Amino acid sequence: MIGNAWLMIAFPLVGAFILLVFNRFTNRWGHLLGVAMSLASFVVAVLAFVELLGFGPEERRRAVHLYEFIPGMVDMGLLIDPLSISFALLITGVGSLIHIYSIGYMSHDEHRRRFFSYLNLFVAAMLLLVLADNYVGLFIGWEGVGLASYLLIGFWQFKPSAATAAKKAFVVNRVGDFGLLVGMFVIWTTFGTLTFKGLGEQIAPGTQNGTMLAIGLLLLLGACGKSAQLPLQSWLLDAMEGPTPVSALIHAATMVTAGVYLVVRSGAFFFPEGSGAALAVAIVGAVTLLAGAIIGCAKDDIKKGLAGSTMSQIGYMMLGAGLGPAGYAFAIGHLITHGFFKADMFLGAGSVMHGMNDEVDMRKYGALRKVMPITFVTFFIGYLAIIGFPLLSGYFTKDGIIETAVHHQPILGWLAVLGAGITGFYMSRMIFMTFFGEKRWADDAHPHESPLVMTVPLMILSLGSIFLGGYLILSNRLLDWLTPAVGAPAERPEFHFTSVPGLATLALVAVGAIIAWMKYGRVPVPAVQPRGSFLTTFARRDLYGDALNESLFMRPGQWLTRLAVFFDNRGIDGVVNGLAAGIGGSSGRLRRIQTGFARTYALSILIGAALLTGALLFVGNI
C-alpha cells in the first residue's frame, strides 16, 4: 500500500473534481460522495501505517517516486515515514469525522454539495503538503490549502464579514508564503536540491552559519503565516465567519498545524544546538501562547474564544518544536491530541449553535447542559483535556512541552506555565457561560440535542481526548516512533507526574478555574458585555493587532498609493499630456498663418525673401 500512497491524495481530489464539474447533478448525493472519498483516503492511510509498522525502525523512510516534475530540479514523489503518516492519519481520520458531522450541520444549506467539494479539495491539498518528499510539492500543497481555506472561510459569501475574512486570511498568508518561497530559493541556490533526502545528505550535523540562520528564519515566517503565530496571527479570529466544520477542520486539526510540520520537517535548518533560528521559533511560540490565551479571556463569541485557544495551543507546539528533538515528540503529540479535543470543542460549539438558531454569543446561552447532554459531556471532556486535567490527553502532551521547556529554556518554560493558568481561566469561563447558570436564551430559541450524525463524531473525538495522550507519551512510544524521521534527542525526555513545573501548572490551572467560577459560575452573567478595564478592552480588540497592522502597513500603504497616483497623474501623465498640449497649442497658432488668400502668401514670400537677402548681405559684409 505504501507504493500506492498517492491514492490518499487522489481519492479526495477526484471527489472534489466530480462535485465541482458535475455541479447540480450531484446535489442529492454529493455530500455522501465527499464523505466516501475522505473515508477511502483514511483507509489507505491506515493500511500504509500498518505496512510501515512491519519495517524495522531504520527502514521506516519509504520513498514513492511518481513522475518527473521539473527536469533538472525536482521529481514529484512522496515520503512515507513516521512523521508524514502520523499527519496523514490525523488529517484523514479527524477530517472524515468532520465530513460526517457536516452532513447534519449543513443539511439545510442549498450549496451543501459545493461545501463538500471544498472540504475534499482541502483534504487533498493538506495530504500533498505533508506527504511530498520535497519543498516544491510541499509548497503546492501549501498553496492548495490556502486556496481551499479562502473558499471555505468565505463560503457564505453573501455575508460581507465572511467575504472580508476570507480576503484577510488570503492576504496575511501571502506574507508568510513569501518567506517560504524565498527560503526555497536560498535552499536551491545553496544546496542545489529541494528534496528532503538530498538535503539530509548534504547538510553536515552541527552546521551553523549565516545562510542556515537566514533559511531558518524565512521558513519560520512561512510557518507563522499558516499557523497564525505572531506577528501574522490577525487572520485567525476573523476566519470564524466560515461554517463551524471549517473551523474544526482548518483551525483545529490540519492547516494551522502546517507550520509546526514545516519546522519539524526542516529541523536541519533550525538545529545545531544553540541556533538562533531555533530560539526564534521557541520565542514566537511562547509569546503567541500567551497572546492567544489573553485574547480568549475576553471573547463572548464562542467560536472566537476557541480560535484564541487554538492560537495559544499552537504556540505550545511551536515552543516544543523550537526545543529540537527533545521537544519534537511532545510538540507532535500535542498537535495530534489537540486535533481531537479542539475539533471536539469546535464541533460541540457548532452543535450548540445548531440548537440555538446560530447564536454565538455565550451571554445568551446558560444551562444548556440540561437540554444538550451529549454535547455537554463531549465538550466538557475536551475542556478537561485542553486545560491539562490529570490523565487526559492534554495533560501528557502540554505538560510534557512545559517540563521540557523549563529544562532547556527556563524563562520560556515558566511563561508557558503562566499560559496554562490563563487557559484554565478562559476555558472554564466558556464552560460556565455556556452550560451552567441560569438560561439566558432568546424567546425564539428552542435548544435541543443535535442528531446522531453530529453527536457520534463528538463521542469518537472525546474518546481520543481521553486516552490518546497517555498512550503516545508514556513509555516514549511517540518519541521512538518519530526518531527515524526527526532524529533522536541527545537525552531522552521523560514525563514526570510530580515535576515542579507540572505541579505549578496544575495549581495555576486550578486557580484560573476557581476565578472563572467566582466571576461566571457563582453569580449571574450580565446579558450585556460590561465595559471592563483597559486590559479587557486590550484583549477584546485582539491586543490591537489589527490597529497595529493598520498603522504600520495599511495607512503607509495608502499614503504610498496616493503618492504614486499623484506622481503618475502629475508627473508621468503631466509630461505626456503637457507635451501633447504644447504641440497641439503650437499647431493651433501656426494654423492661423494659413489664410487661403494668395495676396497673403505673396506678402509672406516677399517678406521672407527680403529677410533672407538682408541676412546674406549682412554676412557678406562681415
Side-chain angles (χ1 to χ4, degrees), residues 248-324:
L249 181 65
I250 296 179
H251 309 126
T254 55
M255 189 183 87
V256 291
T257 62
V260 181
Y261 171 80
L262 178 66
V263 171
V264 174
R265 178 63 80 189
S266 307
F269 297 112
F270 293 95
F271 297 92
E273 193 73 24
S275 166
L279 180 60
V281 172
I283 291 174
V284 166
V287 173
T288 305
L289 73 87
L290 284 175
I294 293 170
I295 289 172
C297 290
K299 293 297 180 184
D300 292 334
D301 183 319
I302 188 170
K303 288 177 64 178
K304 289 191 176 183
L306 290 173
S309 169
T310 297
M311 179 178 152
S312 179
Q313 296 305 306
I314 296 173
Y316 277 101
M317 300 173 207
M318 293 293 281
L319 172 59
L323 302 175

Side-chain angles (χ1 to χ4, degrees), residues 552-568:
L552 293 180
F553 302 108
M554 194 195 83
R555 295 301 178 191
Q558 282 185 331
W559 285 107
L560 181 62
T561 301
R562 291 170 182 168
L563 179 62
V565 170
F566 177 83
F567 178 73
D568 183 57

Side-chain angles (χ1 to χ4, degrees), residues 588-604:
R589 291 178 176 82
L590 291 173
R591 186 176 59 193
R592 297 174 184 174
I593 299 175
Q594 306 298 324
T595 63
F597 296 111
R599 60 181 181 270
T600 302
Y601 300 149
L603 178 61
S604 300

Side-chain angles (χ1 to χ4, degrees), residues 416-463:
V417 172
L418 175 61
I422 301 174
T423 302
F425 170 76
Y426 73 79
M427 289 306 305
S428 299
R429 172 181 183 268
M430 184 177 295
I431 284 288
F432 292 135
M433 291 180 72
T434 302
F435 295 104
F436 291 88
E438 299 297 325
K439 64 179 185 180
R440 303 180 297 277
W441 315 331
D443 293 336
D444 60 344
H446 304 286
H448 56 277
E449 188 58 271
S450 298
L452 284 176
V453 74
M454 294 172 65
T455 55
V456 169
L458 293 177
M459 298 176 197
I460 297 173
L461 290 168
S462 64
L463 290 176

Side-chain angles (χ1 to χ4, degrees), residues 538-592:
F538 185 56
R540 285 175 184 164
R541 297 187 179 181
D542 304 340
L543 311 188
Y544 293 107
D546 288 338
L548 183 64
N549 288 335
E550 181 176 330
S551 300
L552 293 180
F553 302 108
M554 194 195 83
R555 295 301 178 191
Q558 282 185 331
W559 285 107
L560 181 62
T561 301
R562 291 170 182 168
L563 179 62
V565 170
F566 177 83
F567 178 73
D568 183 57
N569 290 338
R570 300 297 180 88
I572 298 175
D573 287 354
V575 171
V576 173
N577 295 336
L579 181 61
I583 294 175
S586 301
S587 300
R589 291 178 176 82
L590 291 173
R591 186 176 59 193
R592 297 174 184 174

